DNA sequence: CTGAAAGCGCTTACAG
DNA sequence: CTGAAAGCGCTTACAG
């Protein structure tokens, strides 16, 4: 079914049929009605590709690139993006990079080919010069050609609109709250240091402790996954020397793994050791004990980032930054240190 | 950057440039090299819309419609789809219907407009004549026009390729395992009865119990969400009469809510009451106690459904069905009934 | 193997 | 308000 067929059926020109269907220009009422009826009758569905090609408007798709949809953190943000997109009749093309930088760049390229109206990059970037250069090389021409880009949790790359969780401040505040609980001996379970999010949270936590004259303690690195947290916690327990009374995992996903590891090792949380995460993904409330964490409004962040991208570019070519405060929420997984 | 510009730069015709870039036809080596170089130089990215319009091949996008990406069940399946799609350089357009039937139909229509190569429908359909008719009206022309459709957990609608979890058999087997544990008094927390998945699991569970001469017990209906399970469990506890010794929630997501409700009410699981779910979403392993359930290979199901859609249509116009067995896995949330 | 030309299905100045 | 025509950026028979 093409527009031409509809036009013929309605006895008008294709131009009129187009205008009647899109409501762009005034069309005589009876013609409009006839065209609509013809379209219905024929089950006409406009070819979005032809529309995108012919019109200046661009098409109604938005690209969303994240590391992994099955990670609750990204799922939460993606959900916010989808909700907002649905309200504006936008279709979302979702790509999972599975944490491969090269795949991320490939996706941006595909999204450019699709002439996506906007590209959303979710999740910490890689602090890697080569990658940054390649990414800029993709994004810059896209933006110059009128594409819109917005990111979550990603600084330095490009000057694009950004939703930036206050990772540093949040981690610092968490540290202070933990110190207030009485802890003095800490350890941190961290992810790949080249991720800016990791660096920020680590720095913030260090900063918060430093305010009380306390050092960071042992830092164990693991993958940015449940398994990574599990393994890191095991390594921590296996280490020589006195055990910390409190462990901070830089993401809830890692904290979940850590909690399991502690349980397996017979370490009671919080009696023997306190544990806290970051993000407040929904599942941490279901754990026993429920996890203390720094809560981020994930769905809202998704809504914000797409809003940012879709809003007219700021007059000044400066990029906008929406800062998102994390809220420390202490739950059952943290308590005063043993013997206090 | 258009193909024409590349062709000019390389000093060949657009036709040759196209062929050189796509490798469809033999092109003299030196020309191919020149075209490639020109494309690189200019940062050429083909316009996917123009390609889709001009070529018979159709475009490289696949539509995936689910109820809610932030639900771990769908996230798991979606993840499998994305992984498989990535391997074939396909882009996935993901839509969340947020459980609104009309939105689902609207999305199919948008996906048709995009001329998506395939449309994947994930999750139980609605047993609603009007909706089914409308859906068929969208899908039929799409399929006739060469579109491919495959679904997960959805029978009756259309004759399309299907990945069908053995809900009924799985629930029945779970019932038997629970009976073997010693339970005689059951209750079920169920979702909207118009969802086929609910009906099947309920029927299977009933069937399994019937084999031991046991009745289904109280059936409490709730929304298909964590909150729905929470509320349903509360309602169950508030009900008159003797309490069941074992509760089956038709999905893990509901079971998670139920577990929280039981905990809040001071009902110990499994000492006072056993609890089991269905699906084996990743988080249930993290709970204390970890949830007994019927495990479904979610990621694999995602891979299967896209494979089904992409495979050449079966010669016989019959639709193919891939049956997925659920595996009963008993974990800490189920035990012998109290006083046994 | 290569190029000129038609065509994919729409939109949108440009006349009228 | 309406229509004829050009054009969006590609692909692909059709000749050569």
């Amino acid at each position: 079914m093409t527009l031409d067929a509809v036009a013929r059926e309605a006895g008008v020109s294709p131009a009129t049929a187009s205008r009647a269907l899109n409501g762009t220009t005034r069309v005589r009422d009876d013609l409009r009605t006839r065209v609509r009826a013809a379209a219905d009758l024929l089950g006409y569905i406009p070819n979005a590709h032809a529309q995108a090609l012919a019109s200046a408007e661009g098409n109604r798709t938005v690209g969303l690139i994240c590391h992994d949809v099955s990670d609750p953190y990204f799922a939460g943000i993606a959900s916010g993006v989808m909700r907002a997109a649905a309200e504006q009749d936008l279709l979302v093309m979702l790509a999972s990079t599975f944490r491969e930088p090269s795949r991320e760049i490939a996706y941006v390229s595909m999204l450019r080919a699709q002439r996506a109206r906007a590209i959303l990059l979710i999740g910490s970037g890689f602090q890697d010069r080569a990658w940054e250069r390649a990414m800029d090389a993709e994004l810059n021409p896209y933006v110059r050609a009128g594409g819109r880009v917005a990111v979550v949790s990603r600084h330095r790359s490009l000057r694009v609109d950004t939703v930036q969780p206050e990772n540093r401040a949040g981690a610092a505040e968490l540290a202070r709250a933990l110190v207030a609980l009485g802890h003095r001996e800490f350890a941190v379970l961290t992810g790949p240091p080249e991720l800016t999010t990791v660096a920020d949270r680590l720095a913030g936590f260090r900063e918060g402790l430093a305010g009380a004259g306390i050092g960071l303690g042992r830092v164990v690195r693991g993958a940015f996954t449940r398994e990574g947290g599990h393994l890191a916690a095991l390594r921590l327990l296996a280490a020589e020397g006195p055990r910390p009374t409190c462990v901070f995992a830089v993401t809830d996903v890692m904290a979940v793994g850590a909690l399991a590891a502690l349980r397996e090792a017979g370490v009671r949380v919080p009696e023997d050791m306190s544990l806290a995460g970051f993000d407040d993904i929904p599942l941490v409330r279901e754990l026993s004990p429920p996890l203390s964490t720094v809560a981020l409004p994930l769905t809202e962040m998704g809504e914000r980032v797409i809003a940012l991208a879709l809003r007219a570019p700021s007059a000044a070519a400066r990029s906008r930054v929406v800062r998102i405060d994390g809220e420390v929420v202490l739950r059952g997984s943290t308590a005063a240190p043993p013997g206090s």
Side-chain angles (χ1 to χ4, degrees), chain A residues 33 58 73 165 178 297:
Chain A
T33 313
Y73 175 78
L178 264 14

Short mmCIF file of all heavy atoms in Angstrom, two decimals, chain A residues 33 58 73 165 178 297:
data_model
loop_
_atom_site.label_atom_id
_atom_site.label_comp_id
_atom_site.label_asym_id
_atom_site.label_seq_id
_atom_site.Cartn_x
_atom_site.Cartn_y
_atom_site.Cartn_z
N THR A 33 -11.46 13.96 4.48
CA THR A 33 -12.27 12.82 4.89
C THR A 33 -12.13 11.66 3.92
O THR A 33 -11.96 10.50 4.32
CB THR A 33 -13.75 13.22 4.97
OG1 THR A 33 -13.85 14.47 5.68
CG2 THR A 33 -14.56 12.16 5.67
N GLY A 58 13.34 14.52 9.74
CA GLY A 58 14.08 13.41 10.32
C GLY A 58 13.08 12.39 10.81
O GLY A 58 11.88 12.61 10.75
N TYR A 73 20.48 -1.66 36.68
CA TYR A 73 20.80 -0.24 36.63
C TYR A 73 20.40 0.33 35.27
O TYR A 73 19.68 1.32 35.17
CB TYR A 73 22.30 -0.06 36.87
CG TYR A 73 22.79 1.35 36.73
CD1 TYR A 73 22.59 2.28 37.74
CD2 TYR A 73 23.47 1.76 35.59
CE1 TYR A 73 23.05 3.59 37.61
CE2 TYR A 73 23.93 3.06 35.44
CZ TYR A 73 23.72 3.97 36.46
OH TYR A 73 24.18 5.26 36.32
N PRO A 165 25.06 11.94 37.63
CA PRO A 165 24.84 11.66 39.04
C PRO A 165 26.03 12.18 39.84
O PRO A 165 27.16 12.11 39.38
CB PRO A 165 24.76 10.14 39.11
CG PRO A 165 25.19 9.62 37.79
CD PRO A 165 25.25 10.73 36.82
N LEU A 178 28.74 6.31 57.30
CA LEU A 178 29.30 5.07 57.80
C LEU A 178 30.23 5.35 58.99
O LEU A 178 30.27 4.60 59.97
CB LEU A 178 30.05 4.37 56.67
CG LEU A 178 29.35 3.26 55.86
CD1 LEU A 178 27.85 3.19 56.03
CD2 LEU A 178 29.74 3.33 54.40
N PRO A 297 17.76 8.16 41.28
CA PRO A 297 16.43 8.01 40.69
C PRO A 297 16.55 7.54 39.24
O PRO A 297 16.48 8.34 38.30
CB PRO A 297 15.86 9.42 40.78
CG PRO A 297 17.06 10.31 40.70
CD PRO A 297 18.19 9.55 41.32
#
